[in-house]
Amino acid sequence: MFKTLKEEIQVIFERDPAARSVWEVIFCYPGFHAIINHRIAHWFYRHRMFFIARLISHISRFFTGIEIHPGAKIGRKFFIDHGMGVVIGETAEIGDNVTLYQGVTLGGTGKEKGKRHPTIGNNVVISAGAKVLGSITIGDNVKIGGGSVVLKSVPDNCTVVGVPGRIVVRDGAKVTDGKMEVDLEHHLLPDPIADTLTAMQERINELERRLEELMRKELEDAPLQYSQRAKRRAKNIETA
């Protein structure tokens, strides 16, 4: 138990530069409170004491603003930054080294029983306001941009942005001395829509440039064309 507490506190210092002391983390971090309460609730859930498990989860939600169903399976070094509005469903499964920001939903679709929530791989960052819905799989080393809505499975080493989520292939996760390093640069994401608009604007500029060249050439050739038309008119008069 103490090893788990130490690990959870260490994760916060690694990923949140605002953390200044252990006491601050213990008393002032709702993400820390939520995950510790979930570990306890999940123990009761696994031992089929569902009411106690849901009660602990409900009390934790009231104090932290983070709703984690006690049935959710969460791996090591899980970090929720800020946390308000985070929702994690009953059959969600989360791997190791995962970071969630505020407003993230790992939700289900429909009313079917069984597995209906996403499975999140290792070393994943899900940015603020993102929604991952349904029984889908998010691979290892994936980044999901803020406000994205992910409805389909995502392979390893990808970045997802947009509504609905679109995959942008990236290099694999950083490795330092053989140790997996969590990439928290969730604001440095490509924007396919902006790239398309930029390409369209460049094409419009090219077409305008070519049109301007054609108009300029037409104006330059106008006197010659007028002279040729005048000669043809004079020849026609002589023939008549």
Side-chain angles (χ1 to χ4, degrees), residues 117-154:
H117 297 94
T119 297
I120 310 298
N122 300 320
N123 194 38
V124 173
V125 176
I126 305 180
S127 301
K131 314 299 178 187
V132 185
L133 306 177
S135 181
I136 61 177
T137 300
I138 306 300
D140 297 340
N141 313 315
V142 168
K143 270 203 261 186
I144 298 177
S148 300
V149 178
V150 184
L151 303 174
K152 297 181 180 180
S153 294
V154 179

Side-chain angles (χ1 to χ4, degrees), residues 85-131:
V86 168
V87 177
I88 301 175
E90 178 184 14
T91 60
E93 299 179 30
I94 301 175
D96 298 334
N97 296 318
V98 173
T99 300
L100 306 186
Y101 288 84
Q102 66 273 16
V104 168
T105 298
L106 305 182
T109 55
K111 297 181 180 180
E112 70 277 6
K113 297 291 185 179
K115 187 75 168 75
R116 60 190 184 279
H117 297 94
T119 297
I120 310 298
N122 300 320
N123 194 38
V124 173
V125 176
I126 305 180
S127 301
K131 314 299 178 187

Side-chain angles (χ1 to χ4, degrees), residues 148-176:
S148 300
V149 178
V150 184
L151 303 174
K152 297 181 180 180
S153 294
V154 179
D156 297 346
N157 307 315
C158 288
T159 295
V160 178
V161 296
V163 181
R166 296 175 299 279
I167 297 174
V168 180
V169 178
R170 292 171 56 93
D171 294 332
K174 298 178 181 179
V175 178
T176 304

Side-chain angles (χ1 to χ4, degrees), residues 9-223:
I9 293 172
Q10 183 63 34
V11 166
I12 294 174
F13 280 106
E14 289 175 358
R15 305 185 197 174
D16 186 2
R20 292 181 174 82
S21 69
V22 173
W23 294 114
E24 181 181 358
V25 170
I26 291 175
F27 288 101
C28 303
Y29 271 69
F32 173 76
H33 302 155
I35 188 59
I36 295 303
N37 290 332
H38 171 73
R39 306 271 187 216
I40 297 170
H42 186 65
W43 185 90
F44 284 103
Y45 187 89
R46 287 191 296 106
H47 289 79
R48 305 188 64 80
M49 289 181 274
F50 301 123
F51 174 75
I52 297 177
R54 287 303 300 269
L55 182 61
I56 294 172
S57 173
H58 181 71
I59 293 172
S60 176
R61 174 180 178 270
F62 178 80
F63 284 104
T64 65
I66 299 170
E67 181 172 349
I68 307 177
H69 193 284
K73 299 177 181 179
I74 299 178
R76 297 172 53 247
K77 297 184 177 182
F78 179 61
F79 176 54
I80 302 176
D81 197 5
H82 300 292
M84 182 62 67
V86 168
V87 177
I88 301 175
E90 178 184 14
T91 60
E93 299 179 30
I94 301 175
D96 298 334
N97 296 318
V98 173
T99 300
L100 306 186
Y101 288 84
Q102 66 273 16
V104 168
T105 298
L106 305 182
T109 55
K111 297 181 180 180
E112 70 277 6
K113 297 291 185 179
K115 187 75 168 75
R116 60 190 184 279
H117 297 94
T119 297
I120 310 298
N122 300 320
N123 194 38
V124 173
V125 176
I126 305 180
S127 301
K131 314 299 178 187
V132 185
L133 306 177
S135 181
I136 61 177
T137 300
I138 306 300
D140 297 340
N141 313 315
V142 168
K143 270 203 261 186
I144 298 177
S148 300
V149 178
V150 184
L151 303 174
K152 297 181 180 180
S153 294
V154 179
D156 297 346
N157 307 315
C158 288
T159 295
V160 178
V161 296
V163 181
R166 296 175 299 279
I167 297 174
V168 180
V169 178
R170 292 171 56 93
D171 294 332
K174 298 178 181 179
V175 178
T176 304
D177 297 330
K179 181 180 178 182
M180 191 68 71
E181 180 179 329
V182 178
D183 186 355
L184 299 179
E185 300 293 337
H186 60 100
H187 63 292
L188 301 177
L189 299 175
D191 189 340
I193 295 178
D195 293 342
T196 301
L197 292 175
T198 299
M200 290 177 62
Q201 185 61 51
E202 291 176 354
R203 179 61 175 167
I204 291 171
N205 293 339
E206 174 65 17
L207 292 174
E208 288 180 344
R209 185 187 63 79
R210 294 176 61 184
L211 179 60
E212 184 178 353
E213 289 179 355
L214 290 173
M215 292 177 65
R216 186 184 303 111
K217 186 176 180 181
E218 183 178 357
L219 291 175
E220 291 175 353
D221 295 342

